[in-house]
Amino acid sequence: MSASRVRWVSKKLARGGVALVSSAVFRVRPQGPPAGIRALTYHRFGAARRDPFCVSPSDFEVQMDWLVEHGRVASLDDVVRFARGERVVRDGAALVTIDDGSISAFEHALPVLARRKIPAVLFVSPGLVGRASVPEPLMDWNALRACAAGGLTVASHGWSHRSLEGLRTPEVVHELEASRRLLEIEIGAAVEAFAYPYGTRRDFSARTEACVRAAGYAVAFHSQHGAIVPGSPLLSLPRVKIEGGEDLRMFERIVDGAMDPWRGVDRHLAWTQRPAPATAG
Ligand SMILES: [Zn+2]
């Protein structure tokens, strides 16, 4: 067995184990599944085997159908209001977010989302728009405008997809302000949301959060697992990653909060969470 296959199988066993144990605990405890709503993170769509950042288009379609059929769809505005204490959506609702603006999100996710009127959020880096990136090209401005026309919110993932925590403060300010400005010009809509590139514990801090606030963003997401609950700080919201190669039952468990405890891995094993730069995050 190759090292990459060992890593893939171990991670899937660990994720499946956490989800299974959590779901069993939810069933026996009187208060049921954890309260709150979740922001789901996707990256790419396609048939790539053993790539956790790539979800098959047919799995994605089944997952979106499940959210719609079960009344679990939340918009960015719903998330903001929910965190502020307004119960505008039920516990267990989910916001769909897609990072990086890979071309497969345009080809496979946009049609699925637009047909179901799911108000997903696309986090892109304006400095990389249209690049022939690896493992796949990134959307150009026309594709991003088509996403906005299809009902998606196009928001900032930093100017150049670098970890803000590794930058000097003037560069952090540039990443935040220039990205917002160009997105607003090219898309023609206000940009209020930001997602930290990579989003691990090592990629943001009180310093970068202060910069995000000063740049005028109303809401920011990292990549640490967890639920969004009334009172959650709007500039430091958790997200839950949806990985390729997992079935609908696993997706349902994740939306219900079964992967929330994975934040322990986020906190203590940050080095395992961060992919090679070429595969993004
Ligand atoms: Zn990213």
Side-chain angles (χ1 to χ4, degrees):
M1 211 188 274
S2 71
S4 72
R5 177 148 173 79
V6 168
R7 190 165 186 258
W8 170 263
V9 171
S10 322
K11 177 114 176 284
K12 286 293 172 233
L13 285 172
R15 283 173 60 85
V18 166
L20 199 62
V21 170
S22 305
S23 311
V25 171
F26 299 162
R27 274 197 296 276
V28 297
R29 65 182 202 169
Q31 68 270 41
I37 60 178
R38 280 155 200 88
L40 312 178
T41 311
Y42 291 86
H43 290 82
R44 298 187 301 274
F45 303 87
R49 286 186 66 237
R50 296 215 301 268
D51 177 358
F53 288 87
C54 188
V55 172
S56 90
S58 56
D59 283 355
F60 181 67
E61 193 156 10
V62 167
Q63 292 167 0
M64 294 305 104
D65 278 337
W66 186 88
L67 288 181
V68 171
E69 282 162 17
H70 292 81
R72 303 287 196 103
V73 176
S75 68
L76 181 61
D77 185 55
D78 293 335
V79 169
V80 170
R81 293 174 65 186
F82 188 89
R84 285 183 177 148
E86 296 173 46
R87 292 266 173 184
V88 286
V89 283
R90 54 172 285 194
D91 282 325
L95 171 71
V96 176
T97 72
I98 306 173
D99 283 7
D100 304 336
S102 296
I103 196 72
S104 63
F106 173 72
E107 290 167 346
H108 298 299
L110 173 62
V112 170
L113 295 165
R115 203 175 309 132
R116 291 161 183 76
K117 296 188 163 51
I118 295 175
V121 182
L122 199 54
F123 289 109
V124 301
S125 300
L128 306 180
V129 164
R131 286 278 181 95
S133 182
V134 176
E136 58 176 75
L138 301 174
M139 287 186 223
D140 61 16
W141 288 113
N142 283 333
L144 290 170
R145 279 189 281 268
C147 289
L152 274 58
T153 295
V154 182
S156 175
H157 200 27
W159 177 261
S160 61
H161 202 280
R162 287 185 291 171
S163 168
L164 296 191
E165 200 45 39
L167 303 177
R168 293 179 304 112
T169 298
E171 291 177 286
V172 174
V173 170
H174 170 76
E175 290 284 325
L176 293 163
E177 290 184 350
S179 60
R180 185 169 181 222
R181 205 175 309 130
L182 189 58
L183 281 170
E184 290 186 339
I185 291 168
E186 292 286 350
I187 306 296
V191 172
E192 300 192 319
F194 178 75
Y196 289 95
Y198 309 104
T200 74
R201 193 170 63 88
R202 296 174 177 184
D203 301 306
F204 64 97
S205 65
R207 175 183 73 110
T208 54
E209 188 179 317
C211 294
V212 170
R213 179 177 291 110
Y217 291 95
V219 53
F221 297 88
H222 49 65
S223 308
Q224 311 277 283
H225 282 68
I228 297 165
V229 296
S232 286
L234 279 174
L235 292 181
S236 183
L237 294 178
R239 292 194 288 172
V240 177
K241 189 175 160 203
I242 303 299
E243 292 203 351
E246 296 179 348
D247 62 11
L248 181 64
R249 189 75 199 90
M250 180 72 174
F251 177 78
E252 295 173 21
R253 285 180 175 141
I254 291 171
V255 175
D256 279 338
M259 285 306 287
D260 293 359
W262 197 259
R263 62 180 163 264
V265 176
D266 294 333
R267 199 165 298 150
H268 302 294
L269 297 171
W271 56 273
T272 66
Q273 306 291 295
R274 183 103 169 242
T279 59

